[in-house]
Amino acid sequence: MRVLLLGFALLLTSAPSFSQINTKATEAVITYGFRNNGKDSKAEQKMFIKGSQVHLVPQGRQTEQQYLQTAQKVSYQVQNNNGMVYTLKKPFSEYVKAELLTGIDTILGIPCKKAKVFIRSNTIEVWYTNDLKIKGTPSISIAPGLGLILKTIRNGNSETIAKKIEYRTVTPEELAWPKNWGNLLDEPAYQREVIESRYNTLTIFNNEQISFGNKTENPKGEQANVTYHFSGGTIILKK
């Protein structure tokens, strides 16, 4: 009996409770973890919240930075491409609207409501709370205006879940809020810049003439950086 009572007492003292959560805090750092097919990943993601400003730090080496302005209900995706800054500003209303469901879960001692989002061919279950002043989502495309999202499950097997919430002052370096947004683009133009940032373009031929049946004298030998014409001018080569 003593063992059972002691175990129960330890369970009560170690389990987090909602009363321990800072419902008045306006600044926090949230660390998310990942689980795929029931297996935990070593990767982590951080979200820095300072009032209505949120910085979503992407995983790995990325040239894009993501931000939320929850008071204005807009998101910002910022791409630095060869020294040029491009920004996509998107209202929360343009994201897929979440379907609110019955059900509840407790994450880090916080009771969370349940919702569902359908994005392309993906079904994403969402657990969120509106009981805290801090707001945000670990994925910019998943219900950014719903509240504070602490867990998502994509297609039943890919889970993102909050592992830790630190209620503390967020530094300017952590928030990394841009002083200016550079060139504001619409979504197609911005996505083109994102794609181009992944590649290096090397100019080999520029305004070269390809002729058909014309006799062309090629430079002698195998010179570098000059154009050679073959097959009646239909093929051009450069070393």
Side-chain angles (χ1 to χ4, degrees), residues 40-92:
D40 290 326
S41 169
K42 293 182 180 180
E44 291 184 342
Q45 178 181 347
K46 289 188 180 295
M47 179 167 67
F48 297 98
I49 305 172
K50 191 177 185 69
S52 61
Q53 297 176 315
V54 182
H55 180 200
L56 305 174
V57 180
Q59 301 178 64
R61 298 179 61 184
Q62 299 285 342
T63 57
E64 182 185 72
Q65 296 296 318
Q66 299 180 349
Y67 303 90
L68 303 174
Q69 225 303 348
T70 56
Q72 298 176 5
K73 298 183 179 181
V74 294
S75 68
Y76 295 94
Q77 293 171 251
V78 182
Q79 176 73 35
N80 193 319
N81 192 356
N82 295 322
M84 297 293 293
V85 177
Y86 302 97
T87 298
L88 171 62
K89 180 181 179 181
K90 189 172 181 178
F92 289 172

Side-chain angles (χ1 to χ4, degrees), residues 64 79 81 86 88 185-199 201:
E64 182 185 72
Q79 176 73 35
N81 192 356
Y86 302 97
L88 171 62
L185 303 177
D186 60 18
E187 193 154 6
Y190 178 80
Q191 293 302 332
R192 184 168 62 248
E193 292 296 335
V194 171
I195 293 172
E196 290 182 358
S197 71
R198 299 170 183 166
Y199 304 95
T201 302

Side-chain angles (χ1 to χ4, degrees), residues 31-36 39-46 59-60 159-161 163:
T31 302
Y32 292 90
F34 304 94
R35 185 181 297 129
N36 293 296
K39 295 183 179 180
D40 290 326
S41 169
K42 293 182 180 180
E44 291 184 342
Q45 178 181 347
K46 289 188 180 295
Q59 301 178 64
E159 182 177 342
T160 301
I161 185 168
K163 297 170 58 178

